[in-house]
Each structure stands twice: as C-alpha cells, then as structure tokens.
PDB file of all heavy atoms in Angstrom:
ATOM      1  N   ASP A  25      43.143-147.033  69.310  1.00  0.00           N
ATOM      2  CA  ASP A  25      43.317-147.237  70.812  1.00  0.00           C
ATOM      3  C   ASP A  25      44.783-147.150  71.123  1.00  0.00           C
ATOM      4  O   ASP A  25      45.640-147.320  70.264  1.00  0.00           O
ATOM      5  CB  ASP A  25      42.814-148.732  71.188  1.00  0.00           C
ATOM      6  CG  ASP A  25      41.365-148.708  71.032  1.00  0.00           C
ATOM      7  OD1 ASP A  25      40.609-147.760  70.874  1.00  0.00           O
ATOM      8  OD2 ASP A  25      40.878-149.931  70.983  1.00  0.00           O
ATOM      9  N   LEU A  26      44.982-146.842  72.273  1.00  0.00           N
ATOM     10  CA  LEU A  26      46.355-146.878  72.874  1.00  0.00           C
ATOM     11  C   LEU A  26      46.353-147.619  74.200  1.00  0.00           C
ATOM     12  O   LEU A  26      45.826-147.332  75.133  1.00  0.00           O
ATOM     13  CB  LEU A  26      46.803-145.392  73.234  1.00  0.00           C
ATOM     14  CG  LEU A  26      48.266-145.174  73.736  1.00  0.00           C
ATOM     15  CD1 LEU A  26      49.206-145.513  72.541  1.00  0.00           C
ATOM     16  CD2 LEU A  26      48.549-143.853  74.307  1.00  0.00           C
ATOM     17  N   GLN A  27      46.982-148.725  74.139  1.00  0.00           N
ATOM     18  CA  GLN A  27      47.124-149.654  75.243  1.00  0.00           C
ATOM     19  C   GLN A  27      48.400-149.235  76.008  1.00  0.00           C
ATOM     20  O   GLN A  27      49.442-149.299  75.436  1.00  0.00           O
ATOM     21  CB  GLN A  27      47.206-151.138  74.866  1.00  0.00           C
ATOM     22  CG  GLN A  27      47.427-152.116  76.052  1.00  0.00           C
ATOM     23  CD  GLN A  27      46.200-152.056  76.987  1.00  0.00           C
ATOM     24  OE1 GLN A  27      45.007-152.104  76.583  1.00  0.00           O
ATOM     25  NE2 GLN A  27      46.480-152.249  78.300  1.00  0.00           N
ATOM     26  N   MET A  28      48.195-148.804  77.222  1.00  0.00           N
ATOM     27  CA  MET A  28      49.335-148.374  78.102  1.00  0.00           C
ATOM     28  C   MET A  28      49.564-149.293  79.253  1.00  0.00           C
ATOM     29  O   MET A  28      48.635-149.442  80.143  1.00  0.00           O
ATOM     30  CB  MET A  28      49.043-146.948  78.581  1.00  0.00           C
ATOM     31  CG  MET A  28      48.643-145.925  77.449  1.00  0.00           C
ATOM     32  SD  MET A  28      48.488-144.240  78.038  1.00  0.00           S
ATOM     33  CE  MET A  28      46.978-144.374  79.003  1.00  0.00           C
ATOM     34  N   ASN A  29      50.628-149.922  79.393  1.00  0.00           N
ATOM     35  CA  ASN A  29      51.052-150.793  80.385  1.00  0.00           C
ATOM     36  C   ASN A  29      52.209-150.423  81.133  1.00  0.00           C
ATOM     37  O   ASN A  29      52.958-149.524  80.630  1.00  0.00           O
ATOM     38  CB  ASN A  29      51.369-152.247  79.778  1.00  0.00           C
ATOM     39  CG  ASN A  29      50.265-152.906  79.002  1.00  0.00           C
ATOM     40  OD1 ASN A  29      49.019-152.717  79.401  1.00  0.00           O
ATOM     41  ND2 ASN A  29      50.555-153.612  78.006  1.00  0.00           N
ATOM     42  N   ASN A  30      52.382-150.857  82.317  1.00  0.00           N
ATOM     43  CA  ASN A  30      53.468-150.504  83.168  1.00  0.00           C
ATOM     44  C   ASN A  30      53.602-148.989  83.230  1.00  0.00           C
ATOM     45  O   ASN A  30      54.803-148.384  83.073  1.00  0.00           O
ATOM     46  CB  ASN A  30      54.780-151.068  82.550  1.00  0.00           C
ATOM     47  CG  ASN A  30      55.991-150.943  83.618  1.00  0.00           C
ATOM     48  OD1 ASN A  30      55.763-150.740  84.881  1.00  0.00           O
ATOM     49  ND2 ASN A  30      57.193-150.919  83.123  1.00  0.00           N
ATOM     50  N   LEU A  31      52.571-148.355  83.547  1.00  0.00           N
ATOM     51  CA  LEU A  31      52.370-146.825  83.680  1.00  0.00           C
ATOM     52  C   LEU A  31      53.386-146.370  84.672  1.00  0.00           C
ATOM     53  O   LEU A  31      53.539-146.965  85.781  1.00  0.00           O
ATOM     54  CB  LEU A  31      51.045-146.487  83.821  1.00  0.00           C
ATOM     55  CG  LEU A  31      50.232-146.489  82.529  1.00  0.00           C
ATOM     56  CD1 LEU A  31      48.722-146.470  82.827  1.00  0.00           C
ATOM     57  CD2 LEU A  31      50.599-145.256  81.660  1.00  0.00           C
ATOM     58  N   LYS A  32      53.997-145.077  84.474  1.00  0.00           N
ATOM     59  CA  LYS A  32      54.856-144.448  85.359  1.00  0.00           C
ATOM     60  C   LYS A  32      54.312-143.162  85.732  1.00  0.00           C
ATOM     61  O   LYS A  32      53.542-142.514  84.958  1.00  0.00           O
ATOM     62  CB  LYS A  32      56.316-144.350  84.681  1.00  0.00           C
ATOM     63  CG  LYS A  32      56.822-145.696  84.309  1.00  0.00           C
ATOM     64  CD  LYS A  32      58.140-145.499  83.587  1.00  0.00           C
ATOM     65  CE  LYS A  32      58.753-146.707  83.142  1.00  0.00           C
ATOM     66  NZ  LYS A  32      60.136-146.540  82.466  1.00  0.00           N
ATOM     67  N   PRO A  33      54.706-142.466  86.734  1.00  0.00           N
ATOM     68  CA  PRO A  33      54.228-141.227  87.278  1.00  0.00           C
ATOM     69  C   PRO A  33      54.496-140.238  86.172  1.00  0.00           C
ATOM     70  O   PRO A  33      53.662-139.260  85.891  1.00  0.00           O
ATOM     71  CB  PRO A  33      54.963-140.884  88.433  1.00  0.00           C
ATOM     72  CG  PRO A  33      55.246-142.272  89.029  1.00  0.00           C
ATOM     73  CD  PRO A  33      55.483-143.124  87.945  1.00  0.00           C
ATOM     74  N   GLU A  34      55.596-140.312  85.492  1.00  0.00           N
ATOM     75  CA  GLU A  34      55.946-139.433  84.368  1.00  0.00           C
ATOM     76  C   GLU A  34      55.067-139.529  83.097  1.00  0.00           C
ATOM     77  O   GLU A  34      55.156-138.662  82.225  1.00  0.00           O
ATOM     78  CB  GLU A  34      57.434-139.532  83.892  1.00  0.00           C
ATOM     79  CG  GLU A  34      57.803-141.003  83.582  1.00  0.00           C
ATOM     80  CD  GLU A  34      58.575-141.705  84.738  1.00  0.00           C
ATOM     81  OE1 GLU A  34      58.046-141.475  85.922  1.00  0.00           O
ATOM     82  OE2 GLU A  34      59.507-142.299  84.456  1.00  0.00           O
ATOM     83  N   ASP A  35      54.246-140.552  83.103  1.00  0.00           N
ATOM     84  CA  ASP A  35      53.276-140.695  81.996  1.00  0.00           C
ATOM     85  C   ASP A  35      52.055-139.781  82.249  1.00  0.00           C
ATOM     86  O   ASP A  35      51.084-139.618  81.442  1.00  0.00           O
ATOM     87  CB  ASP A  35      52.720-142.036  81.770  1.00  0.00           C
ATOM     88  CG  ASP A  35      53.801-142.939  81.419  1.00  0.00           C
ATOM     89  OD1 ASP A  35      54.664-142.473  80.426  1.00  0.00           O
ATOM     90  OD2 ASP A  35      53.919-144.097  81.847  1.00  0.00           O
ATOM     91  N   THR A  36      51.832-139.208  83.449  1.00  0.00           N
ATOM     92  CA  THR A  36      50.778-138.358  83.795  1.00  0.00           C
ATOM     93  C   THR A  36      50.654-137.092  82.856  1.00  0.00           C
ATOM     94  O   THR A  36      51.695-136.451  82.607  1.00  0.00           O
ATOM     95  CB  THR A  36      50.931-137.837  85.277  1.00  0.00           C
ATOM     96  OG1 THR A  36      50.867-138.942  86.125  1.00  0.00           O
ATOM     97  CG2 THR A  36      49.805-136.840  85.598  1.00  0.00           C
ATOM     98  N   ALA A  37      49.551-136.918  82.131  1.00  0.00           N
ATOM     99  CA  ALA A  37      49.409-135.861  81.215  1.00  0.00           C
ATOM    100  C   ALA A  37      47.933-135.906  80.751  1.00  0.00           C
ATOM    101  O   ALA A  37      47.165-136.859  81.056  1.00  0.00           O
ATOM    102  CB  ALA A  37      50.300-136.000  80.113  1.00  0.00           C
ATOM    103  N   ILE A  38      47.563-134.947  79.929  1.00  0.00           N
ATOM    104  CA  ILE A  38      46.425-134.989  79.157  1.00  0.00           C
ATOM    105  C   ILE A  38      46.799-135.663  77.770  1.00  0.00           C
ATOM    106  O   ILE A  38      47.754-135.032  77.151  1.00  0.00           O
ATOM    107  CB  ILE A  38      45.822-133.530  78.943  1.00  0.00           C
ATOM    108  CG1 ILE A  38      45.476-132.921  80.283  1.00  0.00           C
ATOM    109  CG2 ILE A  38      44.509-133.685  78.026  1.00  0.00           C
ATOM    110  CD1 ILE A  38      44.950-131.518  80.163  1.00  0.00           C
ATOM    111  N   TYR A  39      46.080-136.581  77.450  1.00  0.00           N
ATOM    112  CA  TYR A  39      46.278-137.326  76.102  1.00  0.00           C
ATOM    113  C   TYR A  39      45.287-136.861  75.179  1.00  0.00           C
ATOM    114  O   TYR A  39      44.039-136.946  75.388  1.00  0.00           O
ATOM    115  CB  TYR A  39      46.219-138.812  76.372  1.00  0.00           C
ATOM    116  CG  TYR A  39      47.424-139.432  77.108  1.00  0.00           C
ATOM    117  CD1 TYR A  39      47.734-139.148  78.539  1.00  0.00           C
ATOM    118  CD2 TYR A  39      48.381-140.189  76.417  1.00  0.00           C
ATOM    119  CE1 TYR A  39      48.984-139.535  79.117  1.00  0.00           C
ATOM    120  CE2 TYR A  39      49.608-140.553  77.018  1.00  0.00           C
ATOM    121  CZ  TYR A  39      49.718-140.304  78.454  1.00  0.00           C
ATOM    122  OH  TYR A  39      50.856-140.785  78.997  1.00  0.00           O
ATOM    123  N   TYR A  40      45.833-136.692  73.913  1.00  0.00           N
ATOM    124  CA  TYR A  40      45.075-136.134  72.806  1.00  0.00           C
ATOM    125  C   TYR A  40      45.063-137.083  71.697  1.00  0.00           C
ATOM    126  O   TYR A  40      46.088-137.439  71.242  1.00  0.00           O
ATOM    127  CB  TYR A  40      45.452-134.752  72.454  1.00  0.00           C
ATOM    128  CG  TYR A  40      45.294-133.680  73.363  1.00  0.00           C
ATOM    129  CD1 TYR A  40      46.278-133.250  74.262  1.00  0.00           C
ATOM    130  CD2 TYR A  40      44.092-132.902  73.481  1.00  0.00           C
ATOM    131  CE1 TYR A  40      46.148-132.397  75.278  1.00  0.00           C
ATOM    132  CE2 TYR A  40      43.976-132.063  74.467  1.00  0.00           C
ATOM    133  CZ  TYR A  40      45.057-131.644  75.277  1.00  0.00           C
ATOM    134  OH  TYR A  40      44.905-130.653  76.273  1.00  0.00           O
ATOM    135  N   CYS A  41      44.020-137.346  71.048  1.00  0.00           N
ATOM    136  CA  CYS A  41      43.909-138.065  69.754  1.00  0.00           C
ATOM    137  C   CYS A  41      43.908-137.125  68.693  1.00  0.00           C
ATOM    138  O   CYS A  41      43.444-135.985  68.642  1.00  0.00           O
ATOM    139  CB  CYS A  41      42.585-138.714  69.721  1.00  0.00           C
ATOM    140  SG  CYS A  41      42.295-139.687  68.288  1.00  0.00           S
ATOM    141  N   SER A  42      44.766-137.512  67.499  1.00  0.00           N
ATOM    142  CA  SER A  42      44.805-136.626  66.482  1.00  0.00           C
ATOM    143  C   SER A  42      44.488-137.509  65.105  1.00  0.00           C
ATOM    144  O   SER A  42      44.894-138.511  65.104  1.00  0.00           O
ATOM    145  CB  SER A  42      46.191-135.870  66.377  1.00  0.00           C
ATOM    146  OG  SER A  42      47.061-136.791  65.960  1.00  0.00           O
ATOM    147  N   ALA A  43      44.108-136.701  64.118  1.00  0.00           N
ATOM    148  CA  ALA A  43      43.835-137.353  62.803  1.00  0.00           C
ATOM    149  C   ALA A  43      44.554-136.353  61.750  1.00  0.00           C
ATOM    150  O   ALA A  43      44.212-135.131  61.731  1.00  0.00           O
ATOM    151  CB  ALA A  43      42.416-137.574  62.480  1.00  0.00           C
ATOM    152  N   ARG A  44      45.315-136.872  60.936  1.00  0.00           N
ATOM    153  CA  ARG A  44      46.049-136.040  59.956  1.00  0.00           C
ATOM    154  C   ARG A  44      45.869-136.644  58.539  1.00  0.00           C
ATOM    155  O   ARG A  44      46.198-137.806  58.329  1.00  0.00           O
ATOM    156  CB  ARG A  44      47.604-136.003  60.283  1.00  0.00           C
ATOM    157  CG  ARG A  44      48.315-135.216  59.311  1.00  0.00           C
ATOM    158  CD  ARG A  44      49.766-134.915  59.943  1.00  0.00           C
ATOM    159  NE  ARG A  44      50.470-136.063  60.266  1.00  0.00           N
ATOM    160  CZ  ARG A  44      51.097-136.892  59.469  1.00  0.00           C
ATOM    161  NH1 ARG A  44      51.331-136.430  58.212  1.00  0.00           N
ATOM    162  NH2 ARG A  44      51.728-137.932  59.827  1.00  0.00           N
ATOM    163  N   TYR A  45      45.472-135.820  57.706  1.00  0.00           N
ATOM    164  CA  TYR A  45      45.401-136.124  56.228  1.00  0.00           C
ATOM    165  C   TYR A  45      45.842-134.831  55.585  1.00  0.00           C
ATOM    166  O   TYR A  45      47.041-134.568  55.496  1.00  0.00           O
ATOM    167  CB  TYR A  45      44.124-136.708  55.825  1.00  0.00           C
ATOM    168  CG  TYR A  45      43.910-137.140  54.421  1.00  0.00           C
ATOM    169  CD1 TYR A  45      44.938-137.943  53.922  1.00  0.00           C
ATOM    170  CD2 TYR A  45      42.830-136.904  53.629  1.00  0.00           C
ATOM    171  CE1 TYR A  45      44.925-138.460  52.494  1.00  0.00           C
ATOM    172  CE2 TYR A  45      42.708-137.267  52.281  1.00  0.00           C
ATOM    173  CZ  TYR A  45      43.875-138.089  51.728  1.00  0.00           C
ATOM    174  OH  TYR A  45      43.749-138.527  50.478  1.00  0.00           O
ATOM    175  N   ARG A  46      44.802-134.199  55.000  1.00  0.00           N
ATOM    176  CA  ARG A  46      45.178-132.913  54.413  1.00  0.00           C
ATOM    177  C   ARG A  46      45.170-131.771  55.583  1.00  0.00           C
ATOM    178  O   ARG A  46      46.009-130.860  55.458  1.00  0.00           O
ATOM    179  CB  ARG A  46      44.048-132.414  53.416  1.00  0.00           C
ATOM    180  CG  ARG A  46      43.988-133.296  52.198  1.00  0.00           C
ATOM    181  CD  ARG A  46      43.059-132.760  51.148  1.00  0.00           C
ATOM    182  NE  ARG A  46      42.968-133.620  49.934  1.00  0.00           N
ATOM    183  CZ  ARG A  46      42.035-134.538  49.773  1.00  0.00           C
ATOM    184  NH1 ARG A  46      41.332-134.956  50.728  1.00  0.00           N
ATOM    185  NH2 ARG A  46      42.109-135.294  48.659  1.00  0.00           N
ATOM    186  N   ASP A  47      44.501-132.023  56.621  1.00  0.00           N
ATOM    187  CA  ASP A  47      44.512-131.222  57.735  1.00  0.00           C
ATOM    188  C   ASP A  47      44.797-132.024  58.990  1.00  0.00           C
ATOM    189  O   ASP A  47      44.734-133.240  58.939  1.00  0.00           O
ATOM    190  CB  ASP A  47      43.122-130.403  57.895  1.00  0.00           C
ATOM    191  CG  ASP A  47      42.928-129.422  56.743  1.00  0.00           C
ATOM    192  OD1 ASP A  47      43.765-128.483  56.570  1.00  0.00           O
ATOM    193  OD2 ASP A  47      41.928-129.527  56.049  1.00  0.00           O
ATOM    194  N   VAL A  48      44.896-131.337  60.129  1.00  0.00           N
ATOM    195  CA  VAL A  48      45.018-132.048  61.366  1.00  0.00           C
ATOM    196  C   VAL A  48      43.859-131.706  62.294  1.00  0.00           C
ATOM    197  O   VAL A  48      43.432-130.578  62.401  1.00  0.00           O
ATOM    198  CB  VAL A  48      46.363-131.585  62.076  1.00  0.00           C
ATOM    199  CG1 VAL A  48      46.460-132.436  63.462  1.00  0.00           C
ATOM    200  CG2 VAL A  48      47.598-131.888  61.215  1.00  0.00           C
ATOM    201  N   TYR A  49      43.279-132.726  62.893  1.00  0.00           N
ATOM    202  CA  TYR A  49      42.211-132.579  63.774  1.00  0.00           C
ATOM    203  C   TYR A  49      42.571-133.134  65.020  1.00  0.00           C
ATOM    204  O   TYR A  49      43.363-134.087  65.345  1.00  0.00           O
ATOM    205  CB  TYR A  49      40.883-133.292  63.182  1.00  0.00           C
ATOM    206  CG  TYR A  49      40.445-132.851  61.821  1.00  0.00           C
ATOM    207  CD1 TYR A  49      40.949-133.370  60.713  1.00  0.00           C
ATOM    208  CD2 TYR A  49      39.691-131.674  61.729  1.00  0.00           C
ATOM    209  CE1 TYR A  49      40.595-132.954  59.389  1.00  0.00           C
ATOM    210  CE2 TYR A  49      39.287-131.214  60.477  1.00  0.00           C
ATOM    211  CZ  TYR A  49      39.787-131.792  59.360  1.00  0.00           C
ATOM    212  OH  TYR A  49      39.386-131.341  58.219  1.00  0.00           O
ATOM    213  N   TRP A  50      41.917-132.525  66.162  1.00  0.00           N
ATOM    214  CA  TRP A  50      42.195-132.922  67.537  1.00  0.00           C
ATOM    215  C   TRP A  50      40.983-133.237  68.328  1.00  0.00           C
ATOM    216  O   TRP A  50      39.989-132.586  67.994  1.00  0.00           O
ATOM    217  CB  TRP A  50      42.963-131.758  68.313  1.00  0.00           C
ATOM    218  CG  TRP A  50      44.257-131.536  67.619  1.00  0.00           C
ATOM    219  CD1 TRP A  50      44.608-130.547  66.531  1.00  0.00           C
ATOM    220  CD2 TRP A  50      45.539-132.077  67.923  1.00  0.00           C
ATOM    221  NE1 TRP A  50      45.774-130.667  66.282  1.00  0.00           N
ATOM    222  CE2 TRP A  50      46.452-131.529  66.945  1.00  0.00           C
ATOM    223  CE3 TRP A  50      46.008-133.087  68.841  1.00  0.00           C
ATOM    224  CZ2 TRP A  50      47.914-131.841  67.080  1.00  0.00           C
ATOM    225  CZ3 TRP A  50      47.250-133.504  68.847  1.00  0.00           C
ATOM    226  CH2 TRP A  50      48.266-132.838  67.945  1.00  0.00           C
ATOM    227  N   GLY A  51      41.081-134.148  69.181  1.00  0.00           N
ATOM    228  CA  GLY A  51      40.061-134.349  70.185  1.00  0.00           C
ATOM    229  C   GLY A  51      40.283-133.519  71.419  1.00  0.00           C
ATOM    230  O   GLY A  51      41.081-132.618  71.440  1.00  0.00           O
ATOM    231  N   GLN A  52      39.353-133.709  72.294  1.00  0.00           N
ATOM    232  CA  GLN A  52      39.256-132.795  73.466  1.00  0.00           C
ATOM    233  C   GLN A  52      40.170-133.097  74.515  1.00  0.00           C
ATOM    234  O   GLN A  52      40.432-132.326  75.500  1.00  0.00           O
ATOM    235  CB  GLN A  52      37.784-132.608  73.922  1.00  0.00           C
ATOM    236  CG  GLN A  52      37.521-133.712  75.004  1.00  0.00           C
ATOM    237  CD  GLN A  52      37.180-135.065  74.271  1.00  0.00           C
ATOM    238  OE1 GLN A  52      37.238-135.124  73.161  1.00  0.00           O
ATOM    239  NE2 GLN A  52      37.035-136.168  75.105  1.00  0.00           N
ATOM    240  N   GLY A  53      40.773-134.274  74.530  1.00  0.00           N
ATOM    241  CA  GLY A  53      41.787-134.712  75.556  1.00  0.00           C
ATOM    242  C   GLY A  53      41.133-135.459  76.581  1.00  0.00           C
ATOM    243  O   GLY A  53      39.986-135.253  76.906  1.00  0.00           O
ATOM    244  N   THR A  54      41.963-136.320  77.180  1.00  0.00           N
ATOM    245  CA  THR A  54      41.608-137.145  78.327  1.00  0.00           C
ATOM    246  C   THR A  54      42.660-137.135  79.360  1.00  0.00           C
ATOM    247  O   THR A  54      43.902-137.465  78.935  1.00  0.00           O
ATOM    248  CB  THR A  54      40.998-138.557  77.883  1.00  0.00           C
ATOM    249  OG1 THR A  54      40.507-139.276  79.129  1.00  0.00           O
ATOM    250  CG2 THR A  54      42.155-139.455  77.298  1.00  0.00           C
TER     251      THR A  54
END
C-alpha cells in the first residue's frame, strides 16, 4: 500500500506498482 497524505497538485500522475526480484513486473497503473 501507499498512503498519501497532504496531496499536492504536483502529485497528479499515473501511479504504477512494481515488483522486483530476478525480473521487474509492473501493474497497469492507477
């Protein structure tokens, strides 16, 4: 999870989850 407080306009973006071990995997973004 990512708890985001006191959000600012500059935080506007697509946020992606990633998992890294031997390879890197990505989610579809939110």
Side-chain angles (χ1 to χ4, degrees):
D25 292 348
L26 184 68
Q27 177 65 43
M28 305 187 294
N29 298 328
N30 189 21
L31 283 158
K32 303 176 181 181
E34 51 264 43
D35 295 317
T36 295
I38 299 175
Y39 284 69
Y40 298 91
C41 176
S42 75
R44 177 168 58 85
Y45 184 47
R46 293 186 179 94
D47 295 302
V48 181
Y49 300 93
W50 297 92
Q52 81 286 354
T54 186

